[in-house]
Amino acid sequence: MRFLLIAAAVASLLMSSGAHAQSPQAEPAYRETQVSQGAYATGPAPAWVTPADIPESTLSGDAIRRLSETHFLAGAVPAFYIRQVIQINSPAGMANLGPIIMNFVPEYQSLTLNTLRILRGTEVIDVRDTAKVRFLQRETGLEQGVYQGVVTASILLDDLRVGDILDFASTTTGINPVFGGKYFESAAWTPPVPTEMRRVVLQYPDKRPVHYRFLGPIPQGEASKPLRSMVGDMVRLQFEERRPAIVAAELFTPPSYDASTSLEFSEYGSWNDVARWAADLFVNKEAPDTQFTQRVTALQAAPTEEEKILQAIRYVQNEIRYFSVSFNESTHRPAAPGLTLQRRYGDCKDKSLLLVSLLKQLGVRADIVLVASKRYKNMDAQPPSPGVFDHVIVKLAHNGKEYFIDPTLVGQAGTLETMGQYLTGAEVLVVDKASRSLVTIRNTDTYAAAPNSELHESMSWPDFDKPATFESKLIVRGKYAESMRHGAQSLPAQFDTFRTRYLAQRYPEARRIGNAELSDDLLANQLTIIDRYTIDKPGEMRQDTRLVTFAPSNFFDAIRVISGAQRSTPMVLPDAPQELRYSFDLNLPANVSAMFDPRSEKINNDYFKFKLNERFRGNAMHMDLVLKVVADAVPATGMKGYLGDLKQMGELIRGVVPIQPRLLKAAAPANSDPAQVLAQRLREQQQTGIGVYSKVIKDNKLTGKDLAAVYAARAVSHSNLMQMDEALADILQASRLDPSESDHPLDLAIIYEKRGQNQAAIEQVKRALVLGADPYRVYTLRGQIYSQMGKYEDALRDLEQAALSQDNKPGLPYARLWYLWTLGQAGLPVPATLKQQLDQELTGPWPRAAYGMFTGASTPETVLAQVQKMQGEERLMALCEAYFYVGKYYLVKGNKAKAREYFEKTRATGLTIYTEYVAAVQELERMDRPEQPAAGSQ
């Protein structure tokens, strides 16, 4: 339902625009109609109107408005007068001048053409009574099931010339009786073309005050202050501005932001006035008929109250066809529920009243709700009136919660908690005589808790000379599921083709394997779609590097990208708030061997939150992305920062996995131990790095921070090879060259800790924190050192800061493992809430499976069995870690013999670059030290 007839009529005298504008009679969608006698006439302006004199103007433009004036009469019979004086300055201005069109509703309005003349030099050509008027009817909403009875009076003038001045005016009298004589109106103020004078005049009875308010930019100077006078018992307000500013429309401006100016009038003093008007309108005064009673009886057979509610909603949504026949008061007054049931069609107000009536019969509290679907936010900026609303929905209460339901939607699934939310954030008016303010529609707890969409992609490419297999798993919920479910049902034959075409843009060689698999969980309102493909060439070669592309395609429509940060209005973000997730798994040939530290990045601003976690070990790469759009618009002043963060997000995602030659390992000798081969190759990589860094230092071309960074990199390589004296010398030199870098004391702390100088390591960690190091890294490292020192109270204080963090950093699982076994060594239990959380994560990426040993949910055997399922070097790397965790488990349990066994297995891997390797060596050294006699012993 659209509450727009009055507002549309105010702007009814408009000129068609566009270089190729045609007259309405040339459009087949229009049909000529007849209006009743008295609905249209010609005649002078009414006596209550005093037209302005046409001002002189030096404005330039293809066509300019010398005068644009609107007069409103808020009397016993409301009316409005509109006059435009347009000067045609060029052929382009004449070409853009289409027919004169005047919209009105003959059922309750009459139209009078007051002026229609052409001023050509000193000649005045009056064509008011001779111009051909055609009455046309085109129901612009008919395709959407809306029929409102608006008639267009169209006049196409002959013999217009460049230099002519066109002066036309009309008066529309009458108002929809559904408003009970209470007045509200609106007039556009910002002109579409250069305008010399804009004038708006309002007259209303002194005893019936009408409020006014400018929406959008306030006119400059005295223009915003009306000239007030009395005409008999009528108050006359005159607003006037010379050369009002033209506002250039910008794309994606939020509908709730008033970029252009309008002048609003309303006799309604508050939202309560509007609610009371609507409450009388939506009273169901009819006794239930047989058909209505039978429907209620059928609904009452449902086993639970929620099922009764859901069946009522789905009956009205799916069985009552949406179609609006809105004449006279039926534009706003709903049909009786019995009549809607009989017709089996209705518009939003009819369907909403039917649903409310059914729910009330079922004992459910339900109310009519008025919605401004095209604006829906910043509603208090405009004066209260029925004219601001164009849609009707329903609010119901169940189990202490409120739910907002749109009866015009089709095919909604799920529970009240999981149904699609289409009006989140809308400020709406509940139709109740007690309503005094607007309320905001919120997402349900369940709807807000789960991501709106998840896309999980995986590629298996075990041989670069053969095709890869690719799987895409898309999970959508709520309104996204409802939309895709409708698409799959309405276009089943094209559904697979569409998705294949989309993937082929990324991988031109993609060939579908079978059909898409659809799994529909209607109760959860969740749709899962799995696609599988064979891809001949998923990796493009550039020079000597193979590039494998990926794309978080479910992010594309969630975030808006525009060029240029210069903007004068906010930019709307679609579908906010929403959360989207993407993951990409890539399994490569066994001869690919990567050893990258886990990477974690995040971007937080007022508009979106972004997280990235990535790991690439051996021949397996995994990436997780999370995008939360938290604001519905970006202000103009925030565009630079928003676009900068958006660019940074793109740079972080990259969208490509480079497989460089250095990641390809040579074939191992026959019968060689894969673990030893891996350890040797990693040592060689570190030694190669030392050689490169040494050459750079010897070249003596770098200074300051740059040189310090090279010394620090060489220190890390020495440290990874357990060459501690060389590592210490290099990191001390780096600290001298760049004493303000917080990473240097952290690297120095690790080196001191490896050397057994734990107290010195603690001091360096403190220094790093002072220099601004990431607190997460500081607390993790210091907690690990304290734990190895046996200072469990200090260790737990630090490890708790990292382990209970909600930042989801790549190292978080490792910090949690250190926290868990430190709790055990301190003789403390795992907190119940943490145990519950960690036990739910046991099936997640490694090393989460190891949690279970310390929470009691699994055993060392089950953990090692999971690691053994891994492939290639990823398994060997994970085994180094797993052996150490099992050793810690047995140490906590007091079984030193088993602990020693697994610490030795850790050392045997030879993976010196791993923290677990170093820690296992330290544990073995402690075990080998003679026990110190207790104090006071003989």
Side-chain angles (χ1 to χ4, degrees):
M1 181 176 88
R2 292 282 296 165
F3 293 4
L4 52 64
L5 297 183
I6 291 183
V10 173
S12 62
L13 199 56
L14 301 174
M15 306 301 290
S16 300
S17 63
H20 303 288
Q22 296 180 327
S23 93
Q25 58 264 38
E27 297 186 26
Y30 280 92
R31 64 180 179 84
E32 195 157 4
T33 187
Q34 300 293 321
V35 297
S36 60
Q37 188 174 3
Y40 171 81
T42 61
W48 55 271
V49 172
T50 304
D53 294 332
I54 300 176
E56 294 296 327
S57 179
T58 57
L59 286 171
S60 61
D62 293 324
I64 66 168
R65 291 184 182 180
R66 297 270 290 273
L67 174 66
S68 174
E69 60 177 328
T70 310
H71 296 246
F72 296 106
L73 177 67
V77 181
F80 59 85
Y81 166 91
I82 297 178
R83 184 185 179 201
Q84 304 283 354
V85 180
I86 299 175
Q87 180 176 311
I88 305 168
N89 293 333
S90 72
M94 187 167 60
N96 287 338
L97 193 67
I100 299 168
I101 56 174
M102 299 165 283
N103 296 324
F104 67 112
V105 184
E107 283 188 279
Y108 53 80
Q109 290 179 323
S110 62
L111 175 67
T112 302
L113 181 61
N114 305 123
T115 305
L116 185 58
R117 59 180 185 165
I118 300 169
L119 309 180
R120 184 172 294 156
T122 58
E123 184 180 9
V124 178
I125 307 169
D126 193 330
V127 295
R128 183 189 66 181
D129 295 316
T130 58
K132 172 65 175 178
V133 182
R134 303 186 69 187
F135 297 101
L136 308 169
Q137 199 158 25
R138 182 190 186 278
E139 288 298 339
T140 56
L142 191 59
E143 295 84 353
Q144 290 76 42
V146 180
Y147 191 82
Q148 294 176 321
V150 178
V151 169
T152 297
S154 174
I155 302 174
L156 186 61
L157 293 177
D158 298 330
D159 193 29
L160 276 176
R161 305 176 187 177
V162 173
D164 285 351
I165 298 173
L166 178 61
D167 183 3
F168 61 93
S170 68
T171 302
T172 305
T173 304
I175 191 172
N176 194 327
V178 75
F179 300 116
K182 210 159 188 177
Y183 189 78
F184 62 93
E185 266 299 2
S186 174
W189 191 269
T190 300
V193 296
T195 298
E196 184 63 39
M197 178 185 288
R198 176 68 173 128
R199 173 182 288 181
V200 175
V201 178
L202 170 68
Q203 295 185 57
Y204 62 88
D206 190 24
K207 296 181 179 180
R208 288 177 53 191
V210 175
H211 311 281
Y212 72 87
R213 187 182 303 175
F214 279 101
L215 284 188
I218 304 299
Q220 297 296 312
E222 296 296 316
S224 62
K225 301 174 183 178
L227 178 63
R228 191 178 191 277
S229 60
M230 296 295 297
V231 181
D233 62 351
M234 302 287 284
V235 176
R236 185 179 188 274
L237 301 180
Q238 179 174 307
F239 302 81
E240 187 174 296
E241 184 179 19
R242 298 299 291 257
R243 301 192 175 187
I246 297 176
V247 175
E250 291 183 296
L251 289 175
F252 311 123
T253 298
S256 57
Y257 181 85
D258 300 291
S260 298
T261 303
S262 64
L263 184 53
E264 309 290 325
F265 302 107
S266 179
E267 197 175 350
Y268 293 80
S270 66
W271 293 117
N272 179 251
D273 289 346
V274 181
R276 295 174 69 84
W277 162 80
D280 291 334
L281 201 66
F282 280 88
V283 171
N284 180 15
K285 299 178 180 179
E286 291 192 1
D289 60 13
T290 301
Q291 188 175 7
F292 183 87
T293 302
Q294 289 174 345
R295 177 52 49 190
V296 172
T297 301
L299 294 171
Q300 286 174 332
T304 65
E305 182 181 71
E306 180 166 6
E307 187 57 33
K308 293 173 185 177
I309 293 171
L310 291 172
Q311 287 189 17
I313 292 170
R314 286 164 188 156
Y315 176 80
V316 175
Q317 286 183 335
N318 302 330
E319 302 298 327
I320 305 299
R321 179 167 52 104
Y322 181 86
F323 193 81
S324 174
V325 179
S326 300
F327 295 107
N328 212 329
E329 290 197 3
S330 68
T331 56
H332 294 71
R333 189 181 299 281
L339 180 58
T340 302
L341 270 178
Q342 177 186 337
R343 292 171 170 171
R344 294 182 72 85
Y345 72 75
D347 61 14
C348 62
K349 62 185 184 298
D350 305 328
K351 292 176 63 132
S352 292
L353 182 58
L354 172 58
L355 179 56
V356 165
S357 301
L358 289 172
L359 292 174
K360 286 182 176 179
Q361 288 295 313
L362 296 171
V364 178
R365 170 66 191 273
D367 295 288
I368 295 292
V369 176
L370 303 184
V371 179
S373 67
K374 297 298 188 291
R375 181 185 183 95
Y376 77 87
K377 287 188 178 183
N378 193 26
M379 294 290 290
D380 281 325
Q382 52 197 344
S385 82
V388 303
F389 300 106
D390 63 356
H391 191 44
V392 177
I393 62 172
V394 171
K395 184 192 81 169
L396 64 89
H398 173 66
N399 282 349
K401 292 185 177 181
E402 293 181 343
Y403 300 94
F404 292 84
I405 306 297
D406 189 340
T408 68
L409 298 175
V410 176
Q412 283 204 290
T415 65
L416 292 172
E417 282 283 308
T418 61
M419 292 175 71
Q421 303 295 302
Y422 292 85
L423 290 168
T424 301
E427 298 167 359
V428 299
L429 182 65
V430 178
V431 176
D432 186 311
K433 291 191 175 182
S435 291
R436 299 192 174 277
S437 60
L438 302 167
V439 299
T440 301
I441 297 178
R442 306 293 184 190
N443 270 330
T444 63
D445 296 338
T446 301
Y447 193 89
N452 302 92
S453 86
E454 299 178 50
L455 178 60
H456 304 287
E457 296 183 332
S458 61
M459 179 183 293
S460 178
W461 197 9
D463 188 334
F464 285 146
D465 295 325
K466 295 180 180 179
T469 57
F470 180 88
E471 179 178 287
S472 168
K473 181 179 181 181
L474 176 65
I475 304 171
V476 288
R477 300 178 178 91
K479 63 182 179 182
Y480 301 86
E482 291 164 6
S483 175
M484 190 161 287
R485 187 182 294 120
H486 179 74
Q489 291 170 350
S490 61
L491 299 171
Q494 296 93 330
F495 192 71
D496 284 357
T497 303
F498 170 77
R499 294 184 60 74
T500 299
R501 186 185 307 121
Y502 180 79
L503 186 71
Q505 295 174 7
R506 195 194 325 169
Y507 304 121
E509 306 291 333
R511 302 187 307 278
R512 176 182 289 281
I513 302 173
N515 295 323
E517 297 178 10
L518 272 67
S519 175
D520 201 352
D521 185 340
L522 293 175
L523 190 63
N525 200 13
Q526 174 178 301
L527 184 66
T528 302
I529 304 171
I530 298 177
D531 298 290
R532 295 183 180 89
Y533 300 86
T534 296
I535 305 174
D536 287 339
K537 298 177 182 178
E540 174 189 354
M541 289 296 295
R542 291 187 184 176
Q543 296 181 344
D544 57 356
T545 299
R546 193 180 306 272
L547 305 178
V548 179
T549 60
F550 65 91
S553 54
N554 59 327
F555 286 16
F556 292 168
D557 294 330
I559 204 80
R560 178 156 282 136
V561 182
I562 62 171
S563 59
Q566 297 302 315
R567 193 176 173 93
S568 60
T569 62
M571 182 186 73
V572 69
L573 296 177
D575 277 345
Q578 62 174 322
E579 178 180 340
L580 307 111
R581 296 182 180 178
Y582 173 81
S583 68
F584 182 60
D585 283 283
L586 176 62
N587 291 293
L588 296 164
N591 68 325
V592 174
S593 179
M595 178 64 71
F596 297 112
D597 289 335
R599 183 170 71 111
S600 178
E601 305 285 354
K602 64 180 180 179
I603 300 173
N604 288 331
N605 54 46
D606 293 336
Y607 323 114
F608 66 87
K609 314 293 182 186
F610 172 74
K611 289 182 181 179
L612 176 150
N613 285 327
E614 180 185 18
R615 65 177 185 273
F616 194 175
R617 298 208 312 192
N619 63 336
M621 178 267 186
H622 175 81
M623 174 175 282
D624 279 310
L625 306 176
V626 178
L627 175 64
K628 294 182 180 180
V629 182
V630 296
D632 63 351
V634 181
T637 54
M639 283 301 300
K640 183 177 180 180
Y642 166 81
L643 292 175
D645 284 348
L646 208 59
K647 180 181 179 182
Q648 182 187 356
M649 184 174 77
E651 292 170 348
L652 291 175
I653 295 174
R654 295 194 301 263
V656 64
V657 181
I659 314 300
Q660 299 169 327
R662 65 185 179 87
L663 300 183
L664 303 179
K665 62 184 180 182
N671 301 320
S672 60
D673 181 351
Q676 294 304 315
V677 171
L678 171 62
Q680 178 61 30
R681 187 165 50 79
L682 293 178
R683 286 193 292 270
E684 291 173 355
Q685 286 180 354
Q686 298 300 317
Q687 195 61 53
T688 299
I690 291 173
V692 172
Y693 303 138
S694 298
K695 184 179 185 304
V696 171
I697 293 171
K698 186 177 180 179
D699 287 345
N700 202 28
K701 294 181 179 179
L702 298 179
T703 59
K705 288 180 177 291
D706 295 333
L707 182 58
V710 177
Y711 271 107
R714 192 171 71 174
V716 171
S717 293
H718 280 306
S719 176
N720 286 338
L721 291 174
M722 303 303 289
Q723 299 168 354
M724 305 316 301
D725 291 342
E726 295 87 342
L728 180 60
D730 275 348
I731 197 62
L732 289 175
Q733 178 65 9
S735 296
R736 284 190 288 269
L737 289 167
D738 186 7
S740 64
E741 173 55 58
S742 63
D743 279 346
H744 296 337
L746 285 178
D747 291 336
L748 181 54
I750 293 171
I751 293 169
Y752 276 141
E753 194 265 343
K754 287 183 176 182
R755 291 168 59 92
Q757 298 171 265
N758 289 323
Q759 194 55 49
I762 294 294
E763 294 303 318
Q764 290 301 318
V765 174
K766 292 179 181 177
R767 178 168 167 255
L769 190 61
V770 171
L771 290 175
D774 180 1
Y776 176 87
R777 294 181 61 198
V778 168
Y779 293 132
T780 301
L781 178 57
R782 190 166 63 184
Q784 290 172 340
I785 298 171
Y786 277 136
S787 182
Q788 292 293 79
M789 293 170 68
K791 294 185 175 183
Y792 300 131
E793 184 177 342
D794 292 333
L796 289 173
R797 184 171 55 249
D798 276 346
L799 289 171
E800 186 176 81
Q801 297 290 324
L804 303 185
S805 169
Q806 300 301 313
D807 283 345
N808 196 29
K809 290 180 176 289
L812 180 61
Y814 298 96
R816 285 177 170 172
L817 283 166
W818 279 86
Y819 180 62
L820 289 173
W821 63 62
T822 303
L823 282 171
Q825 290 180 296
L828 298 173
V830 179
T833 54
L834 178 61
K835 178 184 184 305
Q836 182 180 11
Q837 177 186 349
L838 297 185
D839 285 348
Q840 293 174 348
E841 298 180 15
L842 295 181
T843 58
W846 176 258
R848 290 166 180 81
Y851 295 161
M853 291 190 294
F854 303 97
T855 64
S858 61
T859 65
E861 290 74 21
T862 57
V863 172
L864 290 171
Q866 180 171 334
V867 174
Q868 292 293 355
K869 293 178 183 178
M870 297 180 184
Q871 301 295 317
E873 292 183 349
E874 184 182 19
R875 180 180 64 84
L876 298 175
M877 297 172 191
L879 274 174
C880 175
E881 298 172 333
Y883 288 148
F884 175 71
Y885 305 152
V886 173
K888 275 292 190 179
Y889 165 79
Y890 282 120
L891 199 61
V892 169
K893 293 297 183 182
N895 190 337
K896 290 187 177 181
K898 293 292 285 185
R900 174 185 288 274
E901 175 187 344
Y902 281 96
F903 290 148
E904 287 177 345
K905 286 186 175 183
T906 306
R907 182 168 59 183
T909 65
L911 300 183
T912 57
I913 68 173
Y914 273 56
T915 300
E916 288 79 4
Y917 175 93
V918 175
V921 170
Q922 291 174 339
E923 292 287 0
L924 290 169
E925 290 174 352
R926 273 190 289 274
M927 288 180 172
D928 290 337
R929 290 184 198 133
E931 292 190 11
Q932 297 295 322
S937 65
Q938 299 299 320

